[in-house]
Amino acid sequence: MRIFYVFLLIVFPGLLMAQNVTVSGYIRDMETGEDLIGANIVVAELKKGASSNTYGYYSISIKEGSYTLHVSYIGYQSQEIPIDLNENTKLNIVLTPAENLTQEVEVRAEKTDRNITSTEMGTVKMPVKQIKALPVLFGEVDILKTIQLLPGVQSANEGSTGFYVRGGGPDQNLILLDGANVYNSAHLFGFFSVFNADAIKDVKLIKGGMPANYGGRLSSVLDISMKEGNMKEYAAQGGIGLISSRLTVEGPLKKDTSSFIVSGRRTYIDILAKPFISDTSMFAGSGYYFYDLNAKINYRLSDKDRVFLSGYFGRDVFTFKNSESDIDMEIPWGNATASLRWNHLFSDKLFVNTTAIFSDYQFDINIKQNDYRLKLFSGITDYSLITDFNYFPNINHKMNFGAHYIYHIFVPSSVSTKSDEDVFEVGDKLRQYAHDLSWYVSDEFSLNHRIKVNAGLRASFFQQVGPFTRYLKDEDGNFSDTINYTKGDDVTHFFNVEPRLSVRFQVNENSSVKASYTQNYQYIHMASLSAITMPTDLWVPSSDVVKPQFGVQYSLGYFHNFRNNLFETSAEIYYKKLDHQIEYKPNSTVGDNIGDNADNNFTFGEGQSYGLELFVKKNYGKTTGWIGYTLSKTTRQFEQINNGEVFSAKYDRRHDLSLIVTHELSDRWSVSAVFVYATGSAFTPTIAWYLMDNATFITEFGKYNSYRMKNYHRLDLSATYQLKKRKHFSSSLNFSIYNIYNRHNPYFIYFDYEGEITSGVFMTFAKQITVFPILPSISWNFEF
């Protein structure tokens, strides 16, 4: 510790010169004991303050004197705490949830101007309570579908949880659950996310101005924190919907010291469909279901030490049987994560969190037909160790620094077959191994009462190591040679530096102007043959063939609040440049990866995206909600695609509009509405078919992504009725209608023909496939 302070004295002498005293502690929920992330603590006399970190800890160092601390957090009653500071003081603060207060107090509880005063740009926090109030598909509350309603975030397709941020691809989003990477965030082929809202405490999306403590992705960070469990009393909540049910149980292991939470969810599509498939049907035994389980425990060892252990396990299982063809197919896939964290306070100014993480994603296909067996496997496994320091030298500075290490194991594809008693591999399991190491430092500091700066630097090192076999090909695509690397051999490595900068200029107490610059490198990549995120997508590392993706983003924004923060508004413009983007070469198939390096089938290019985002939000009152609008353009250019010409990215949307409204009709009734409008998706059309002399057809395609589907729009409505509360048991009914005016939105378009060329009557035409018509749903939710 002495060495650390000597280092700060040499490098940042101004931080340590002033003789200050420190007030520090944790901010928690009064009812549950849960830590509150991002709560605001302002010293009223100085009009300066701090916010609590991911674990609810805050620290403010100021000169001795008498002050008033104003503590606020969205959804909680604000507090004003007078305090005489003449020595370092520990002050733990508990806040009361606003839902237990009168309406007058609740209004005061929800005022916040953090969007004006902070240096954050393109950053949105979504209260889980607000997410649960919105209309949902099949009654399933979905975090990922909710963030798609924000400006700058586009959905991959109708009903899909896949999302694209400011023109970036789906693999360019860093999705974290308690610090662990989630590589496939979807259930049911993308229609539902893997995140059970009952187990989630905090949701934070960063679209621009990414801080230095995040890295490894170009476009965004979705940081999701699980609940810790009720420290005060045992509690349970759950729900029964049309296709799934869920149950969450939490409580103290030792009151105010240790707690747990366990949350499970399972669909019963397979059970509901079973009565309609007779035992004599050729499809008897076919079905689909998914399930997931979240669990977490924590223990406060002392005032300075606390440990957390959390985990997630989820699986989708699709089975298909056809007695007529004697086919038996099973396709399971899913994620598993585990995080072990240790918080320690070295002093009231220095907080450290160390985390060991396991993350795994696997996809299997098992096919049986007669005596033939086929098994295909792909996946990625990570072992990580992360240390993050928060240092609070004084009220004008907050420093973060640390180091992250990940050991990756990639299995792009592996196939084995069995016929009778013969088992053979179709190519070896081509595993790839990599070390991923990064260091970062950042300082958020105020130059004066108007200018605040967050400056950071991230250094990253990535190394692919053996064992590994590189398959070399000649110009015609035929195998020519191999290069074999033994365990630990350096296949290739990269070192890069990533500067980050965000600046806020506060015009007055109600408005500010912000600008940010971020530079990111991405060393792992997802290769997809589909326009949407699918379980078959492959994760591959940077290699001697695949260079790290590189992105630069510039952002500029104006933020203004009205009527004492009742309304918050913002206008942001951005420009993003992307290098070393990857796509499969034209006419590639998943089978091309077998017995070969997956990256031998890729082509490489560049892209750019720019746009304007407008946002208006009403924060509190009986009626709340927001309007988000995005005007943007996203393009890509690959030498081997579209003859090397620039084309619209498959997730390019010129216009994207979302309108969300929630209104409390009474103590028991509340209603919500969601309206979305978006420019149609780009696709490549078929423009002609030719009949050759050998009686075969040749298809001629138009320019890549040169046509658009019909524009997408939809209106959803929902109503929630609170049933009469009985002692400690309360419940509600949620009624929801998806796509209320039954808009036939295109899911995809394919081309077909009628007639025979030889008869002189031959017509080609496009057919639209629509997946979701008007869909009503009902769910019963309870807690006790």
Side-chain angles (χ1 to χ4, degrees), residues 241-265:
L242 291 180
I243 67 169
S244 73
S245 292
R246 64 192 191 279
L247 178 65
T248 300
V249 179
E250 58 183 319
L253 296 172
K254 183 178 180 181
K255 192 173 182 179
D256 294 327
T257 302
S258 177
S259 64
F260 75 94
I261 182 171
V262 178
S263 183
R265 177 176 59 161

PDB file of all heavy atoms in Angstrom, residues 241-265:
ATOM      1  N   GLY A 241     -47.358 -18.243 -17.266  1.00  0.00           N
ATOM      2  CA  GLY A 241     -47.765 -17.668 -18.542  1.00  0.00           C
ATOM      3  C   GLY A 241     -48.247 -18.728 -19.498  1.00  0.00           C
ATOM      4  O   GLY A 241     -48.434 -19.897 -19.136  1.00  0.00           O
ATOM      5  N   LEU A 242     -48.439 -18.316 -20.751  1.00  0.00           N
ATOM      6  CA  LEU A 242     -48.976 -19.236 -21.748  1.00  0.00           C
ATOM      7  C   LEU A 242     -47.996 -20.333 -22.123  1.00  0.00           C
ATOM      8  O   LEU A 242     -48.397 -21.463 -22.399  1.00  0.00           O
ATOM      9  CB  LEU A 242     -49.377 -18.458 -23.012  1.00  0.00           C
ATOM     10  CG  LEU A 242     -50.587 -17.534 -22.885  1.00  0.00           C
ATOM     11  CD1 LEU A 242     -50.858 -16.852 -24.216  1.00  0.00           C
ATOM     12  CD2 LEU A 242     -51.821 -18.313 -22.426  1.00  0.00           C
ATOM     13  N   ILE A 243     -46.699 -20.004 -22.154  1.00  0.00           N
ATOM     14  CA  ILE A 243     -45.727 -21.007 -22.609  1.00  0.00           C
ATOM     15  C   ILE A 243     -44.660 -21.325 -21.577  1.00  0.00           C
ATOM     16  O   ILE A 243     -43.861 -22.236 -21.786  1.00  0.00           O
ATOM     17  CB  ILE A 243     -45.046 -20.580 -23.926  1.00  0.00           C
ATOM     18  CG1 ILE A 243     -44.162 -19.347 -23.698  1.00  0.00           C
ATOM     19  CG2 ILE A 243     -46.061 -20.338 -25.024  1.00  0.00           C
ATOM     20  CD1 ILE A 243     -43.265 -19.044 -24.870  1.00  0.00           C
ATOM     21  N   SER A 244     -44.623 -20.597 -20.460  1.00  0.00           N
ATOM     22  CA  SER A 244     -43.583 -20.884 -19.470  1.00  0.00           C
ATOM     23  C   SER A 244     -44.036 -20.465 -18.084  1.00  0.00           C
ATOM     24  O   SER A 244     -44.980 -19.680 -17.923  1.00  0.00           O
ATOM     25  CB  SER A 244     -42.279 -20.156 -19.820  1.00  0.00           C
ATOM     26  OG  SER A 244     -42.389 -18.782 -19.560  1.00  0.00           O
ATOM     27  N   SER A 245     -43.342 -20.990 -17.087  1.00  0.00           N
ATOM     28  CA  SER A 245     -43.544 -20.592 -15.701  1.00  0.00           C
ATOM     29  C   SER A 245     -42.186 -20.345 -15.068  1.00  0.00           C
ATOM     30  O   SER A 245     -41.155 -20.873 -15.522  1.00  0.00           O
ATOM     31  CB  SER A 245     -44.291 -21.677 -14.917  1.00  0.00           C
ATOM     32  OG  SER A 245     -45.622 -21.793 -15.373  1.00  0.00           O
ATOM     33  N   ARG A 246     -42.181 -19.549 -14.008  1.00  0.00           N
ATOM     34  CA  ARG A 246     -40.920 -19.212 -13.359  1.00  0.00           C
ATOM     35  C   ARG A 246     -41.154 -19.079 -11.859  1.00  0.00           C
ATOM     36  O   ARG A 246     -42.265 -18.795 -11.412  1.00  0.00           O
ATOM     37  CB  ARG A 246     -40.348 -17.912 -13.929  1.00  0.00           C
ATOM     38  CG  ARG A 246     -41.230 -16.713 -13.669  1.00  0.00           C
ATOM     39  CD  ARG A 246     -40.833 -15.487 -14.474  1.00  0.00           C
ATOM     40  NE  ARG A 246     -41.536 -14.293 -14.003  1.00  0.00           N
ATOM     41  CZ  ARG A 246     -42.778 -14.002 -14.352  1.00  0.00           C
ATOM     42  NH1 ARG A 246     -43.441 -14.770 -15.189  1.00  0.00           N
ATOM     43  NH2 ARG A 246     -43.346 -12.911 -13.854  1.00  0.00           N
ATOM     44  N   LEU A 247     -40.097 -19.287 -11.082  1.00  0.00           N
ATOM     45  CA  LEU A 247     -40.169 -19.167  -9.627  1.00  0.00           C
ATOM     46  C   LEU A 247     -38.824 -18.691  -9.102  1.00  0.00           C
ATOM     47  O   LEU A 247     -37.773 -19.204  -9.508  1.00  0.00           O
ATOM     48  CB  LEU A 247     -40.535 -20.509  -8.989  1.00  0.00           C
ATOM     49  CG  LEU A 247     -40.604 -20.523  -7.455  1.00  0.00           C
ATOM     50  CD1 LEU A 247     -41.740 -19.617  -6.961  1.00  0.00           C
ATOM     51  CD2 LEU A 247     -40.784 -21.940  -6.935  1.00  0.00           C
ATOM     52  N   THR A 248     -38.863 -17.703  -8.207  1.00  0.00           N
ATOM     53  CA  THR A 248     -37.657 -17.164  -7.584  1.00  0.00           C
ATOM     54  C   THR A 248     -37.833 -17.202  -6.070  1.00  0.00           C
ATOM     55  O   THR A 248     -38.866 -16.764  -5.551  1.00  0.00           O
ATOM     56  CB  THR A 248     -37.390 -15.724  -8.039  1.00  0.00           C
ATOM     57  OG1 THR A 248     -37.224 -15.691  -9.455  1.00  0.00           O
ATOM     58  CG2 THR A 248     -36.151 -15.162  -7.375  1.00  0.00           C
ATOM     59  N   VAL A 249     -36.829 -17.713  -5.382  1.00  0.00           N
ATOM     60  CA  VAL A 249     -36.838 -17.780  -3.923  1.00  0.00           C
ATOM     61  C   VAL A 249     -35.562 -17.115  -3.417  1.00  0.00           C
ATOM     62  O   VAL A 249     -34.471 -17.356  -3.953  1.00  0.00           O
ATOM     63  CB  VAL A 249     -36.910 -19.237  -3.422  1.00  0.00           C
ATOM     64  CG1 VAL A 249     -36.904 -19.269  -1.903  1.00  0.00           C
ATOM     65  CG2 VAL A 249     -38.155 -19.927  -3.964  1.00  0.00           C
ATOM     66  N   GLU A 250     -35.699 -16.269  -2.395  1.00  0.00           N
ATOM     67  CA  GLU A 250     -34.528 -15.582  -1.838  1.00  0.00           C
ATOM     68  C   GLU A 250     -34.720 -15.386  -0.347  1.00  0.00           C
ATOM     69  O   GLU A 250     -35.839 -15.471   0.170  1.00  0.00           O
ATOM     70  CB  GLU A 250     -34.327 -14.226  -2.522  1.00  0.00           C
ATOM     71  CG  GLU A 250     -35.522 -13.289  -2.412  1.00  0.00           C
ATOM     72  CD  GLU A 250     -35.297 -11.995  -3.161  1.00  0.00           C
ATOM     73  OE1 GLU A 250     -34.177 -11.458  -3.104  1.00  0.00           O
ATOM     74  OE2 GLU A 250     -36.254 -11.514  -3.819  1.00  0.00           O
ATOM     75  N   GLY A 251     -33.604 -15.112   0.341  1.00  0.00           N
ATOM     76  CA  GLY A 251     -33.704 -14.892   1.772  1.00  0.00           C
ATOM     77  C   GLY A 251     -32.356 -14.884   2.443  1.00  0.00           C
ATOM     78  O   GLY A 251     -31.315 -15.146   1.821  1.00  0.00           O
ATOM     79  N   PRO A 252     -32.333 -14.593   3.728  1.00  0.00           N
ATOM     80  CA  PRO A 252     -31.065 -14.532   4.465  1.00  0.00           C
ATOM     81  C   PRO A 252     -30.584 -15.918   4.880  1.00  0.00           C
ATOM     82  O   PRO A 252     -31.373 -16.747   5.341  1.00  0.00           O
ATOM     83  CB  PRO A 252     -31.415 -13.687   5.688  1.00  0.00           C
ATOM     84  CG  PRO A 252     -32.882 -13.933   5.903  1.00  0.00           C
ATOM     85  CD  PRO A 252     -33.477 -14.163   4.544  1.00  0.00           C
ATOM     86  N   LEU A 253     -29.319 -16.176   4.708  1.00  0.00           N
ATOM     87  CA  LEU A 253     -28.680 -17.327   5.344  1.00  0.00           C
ATOM     88  C   LEU A 253     -28.301 -16.958   6.773  1.00  0.00           C
ATOM     89  O   LEU A 253     -28.357 -17.783   7.680  1.00  0.00           O
ATOM     90  CB  LEU A 253     -27.451 -17.755   4.553  1.00  0.00           C
ATOM     91  CG  LEU A 253     -27.713 -18.273   3.125  1.00  0.00           C
ATOM     92  CD1 LEU A 253     -26.404 -18.490   2.382  1.00  0.00           C
ATOM     93  CD2 LEU A 253     -28.534 -19.549   3.160  1.00  0.00           C
ATOM     94  N   LYS A 254     -27.890 -15.702   6.928  1.00  0.00           N
ATOM     95  CA  LYS A 254     -27.663 -15.112   8.249  1.00  0.00           C
ATOM     96  C   LYS A 254     -28.064 -13.651   8.118  1.00  0.00           C
ATOM     97  O   LYS A 254     -27.487 -12.918   7.307  1.00  0.00           O
ATOM     98  CB  LYS A 254     -26.197 -15.246   8.671  1.00  0.00           C
ATOM     99  CG  LYS A 254     -25.920 -14.726  10.068  1.00  0.00           C
ATOM    100  CD  LYS A 254     -24.452 -14.926  10.437  1.00  0.00           C
ATOM    101  CE  LYS A 254     -24.197 -14.400  11.850  1.00  0.00           C
ATOM    102  NZ  LYS A 254     -22.748 -14.560  12.225  1.00  0.00           N
ATOM    103  N   LYS A 255     -29.044 -13.213   8.867  1.00  0.00           N
ATOM    104  CA  LYS A 255     -29.641 -11.895   8.686  1.00  0.00           C
ATOM    105  C   LYS A 255     -28.594 -10.789   8.701  1.00  0.00           C
ATOM    106  O   LYS A 255     -27.717 -10.749   9.571  1.00  0.00           O
ATOM    107  CB  LYS A 255     -30.690 -11.639   9.774  1.00  0.00           C
ATOM    108  CG  LYS A 255     -31.548 -10.421   9.500  1.00  0.00           C
ATOM    109  CD  LYS A 255     -32.685 -10.298  10.503  1.00  0.00           C
ATOM    110  CE  LYS A 255     -33.568  -9.088  10.172  1.00  0.00           C
ATOM    111  NZ  LYS A 255     -34.696  -8.961  11.118  1.00  0.00           N
ATOM    112  N   ASP A 256     -28.690  -9.924   7.683  1.00  0.00           N
ATOM    113  CA  ASP A 256     -27.794  -8.773   7.498  1.00  0.00           C
ATOM    114  C   ASP A 256     -26.338  -9.166   7.275  1.00  0.00           C
ATOM    115  O   ASP A 256     -25.459  -8.293   7.279  1.00  0.00           O
ATOM    116  CB  ASP A 256     -27.880  -7.809   8.691  1.00  0.00           C
ATOM    117  CG  ASP A 256     -29.250  -7.160   8.794  1.00  0.00           C
ATOM    118  OD1 ASP A 256     -29.875  -6.914   7.738  1.00  0.00           O
ATOM    119  OD2 ASP A 256     -29.703  -6.905   9.932  1.00  0.00           O
ATOM    120  N   THR A 257     -26.087 -10.450   7.055  1.00  0.00           N
ATOM    121  CA  THR A 257     -24.715 -10.906   6.835  1.00  0.00           C
ATOM    122  C   THR A 257     -24.575 -11.724   5.551  1.00  0.00           C
ATOM    123  O   THR A 257     -23.627 -11.552   4.780  1.00  0.00           O
ATOM    124  CB  THR A 257     -24.227 -11.755   8.023  1.00  0.00           C
ATOM    125  OG1 THR A 257     -24.306 -10.977   9.214  1.00  0.00           O
ATOM    126  CG2 THR A 257     -22.791 -12.214   7.819  1.00  0.00           C
ATOM    127  N   SER A 258     -25.515 -12.606   5.320  1.00  0.00           N
ATOM    128  CA  SER A 258     -25.419 -13.493   4.165  1.00  0.00           C
ATOM    129  C   SER A 258     -26.813 -13.744   3.601  1.00  0.00           C
ATOM    130  O   SER A 258     -27.800 -13.792   4.340  1.00  0.00           O
ATOM    131  CB  SER A 258     -24.777 -14.830   4.575  1.00  0.00           C
ATOM    132  OG  SER A 258     -24.745 -15.719   3.477  1.00  0.00           O
ATOM    133  N   SER A 259     -26.893 -13.901   2.269  1.00  0.00           N
ATOM    134  CA  SER A 259     -28.187 -14.157   1.644  1.00  0.00           C
ATOM    135  C   SER A 259     -28.005 -15.005   0.395  1.00  0.00           C
ATOM    136  O   SER A 259     -26.880 -15.212  -0.094  1.00  0.00           O
ATOM    137  CB  SER A 259     -28.884 -12.841   1.274  1.00  0.00           C
ATOM    138  OG  SER A 259     -28.145 -12.135   0.305  1.00  0.00           O
ATOM    139  N   PHE A 260     -29.135 -15.490  -0.139  1.00  0.00           N
ATOM    140  CA  PHE A 260     -29.111 -16.314  -1.335  1.00  0.00           C
ATOM    141  C   PHE A 260     -30.297 -15.942  -2.220  1.00  0.00           C
ATOM    142  O   PHE A 260     -31.281 -15.347  -1.778  1.00  0.00           O
ATOM    143  CB  PHE A 260     -29.197 -17.807  -0.986  1.00  0.00           C
ATOM    144  CG  PHE A 260     -30.594 -18.237  -0.577  1.00  0.00           C
ATOM    145  CD1 PHE A 260     -31.485 -18.778  -1.512  1.00  0.00           C
ATOM    146  CD2 PHE A 260     -31.037 -18.074   0.727  1.00  0.00           C
ATOM    147  CE1 PHE A 260     -32.773 -19.151  -1.135  1.00  0.00           C
ATOM    148  CE2 PHE A 260     -32.323 -18.443   1.112  1.00  0.00           C
ATOM    149  CZ  PHE A 260     -33.195 -18.983   0.163  1.00  0.00           C
ATOM    150  N   ILE A 261     -30.204 -16.295  -3.485  1.00  0.00           N
ATOM    151  CA  ILE A 261     -31.324 -16.203  -4.411  1.00  0.00           C
ATOM    152  C   ILE A 261     -31.201 -17.342  -5.412  1.00  0.00           C
ATOM    153  O   ILE A 261     -30.107 -17.654  -5.887  1.00  0.00           O
ATOM    154  CB  ILE A 261     -31.379 -14.839  -5.127  1.00  0.00           C
ATOM    155  CG1 ILE A 261     -32.610 -14.766  -6.048  1.00  0.00           C
ATOM    156  CG2 ILE A 261     -30.099 -14.556  -5.891  1.00  0.00           C
ATOM    157  CD1 ILE A 261     -32.866 -13.380  -6.614  1.00  0.00           C
ATOM    158  N   VAL A 262     -32.326 -18.000  -5.704  1.00  0.00           N
ATOM    159  CA  VAL A 262     -32.396 -19.062  -6.709  1.00  0.00           C
ATOM    160  C   VAL A 262     -33.605 -18.771  -7.587  1.00  0.00           C
ATOM    161  O   VAL A 262     -34.712 -18.531  -7.074  1.00  0.00           O
ATOM    162  CB  VAL A 262     -32.537 -20.462  -6.075  1.00  0.00           C
ATOM    163  CG1 VAL A 262     -32.658 -21.527  -7.170  1.00  0.00           C
ATOM    164  CG2 VAL A 262     -31.345 -20.764  -5.175  1.00  0.00           C
ATOM    165  N   SER A 263     -33.394 -18.768  -8.892  1.00  0.00           N
ATOM    166  CA  SER A 263     -34.477 -18.434  -9.814  1.00  0.00           C
ATOM    167  C   SER A 263     -34.463 -19.413 -10.982  1.00  0.00           C
ATOM    168  O   SER A 263     -33.421 -19.632 -11.611  1.00  0.00           O
ATOM    169  CB  SER A 263     -34.314 -17.000 -10.331  1.00  0.00           C
ATOM    170  OG  SER A 263     -35.387 -16.637 -11.161  1.00  0.00           O
ATOM    171  N   GLY A 264     -35.625 -20.023 -11.260  1.00  0.00           N
ATOM    172  CA  GLY A 264     -35.722 -20.998 -12.343  1.00  0.00           C
ATOM    173  C   GLY A 264     -36.872 -20.676 -13.280  1.00  0.00           C
ATOM    174  O   GLY A 264     -37.865 -20.050 -12.897  1.00  0.00           O
ATOM    175  N   ARG A 265     -36.740 -21.137 -14.522  1.00  0.00           N
ATOM    176  CA  ARG A 265     -37.770 -20.901 -15.537  1.00  0.00           C
ATOM    177  C   ARG A 265     -37.753 -22.063 -16.521  1.00  0.00           C
ATOM    178  O   ARG A 265     -36.683 -22.575 -16.869  1.00  0.00           O
ATOM    179  CB  ARG A 265     -37.487 -19.584 -16.262  1.00  0.00           C
ATOM    180  CG  ARG A 265     -38.441 -19.254 -17.400  1.00  0.00           C
ATOM    181  CD  ARG A 265     -38.151 -17.897 -17.992  1.00  0.00           C
ATOM    182  NE  ARG A 265     -36.800 -17.771 -18.527  1.00  0.00           N
ATOM    183  CZ  ARG A 265     -36.426 -16.837 -19.398  1.00  0.00           C
ATOM    184  NH1 ARG A 265     -37.309 -15.936 -19.816  1.00  0.00           N
ATOM    185  NH2 ARG A 265     -35.190 -16.791 -19.832  1.00  0.00           N
TER     186      ARG A 265
END
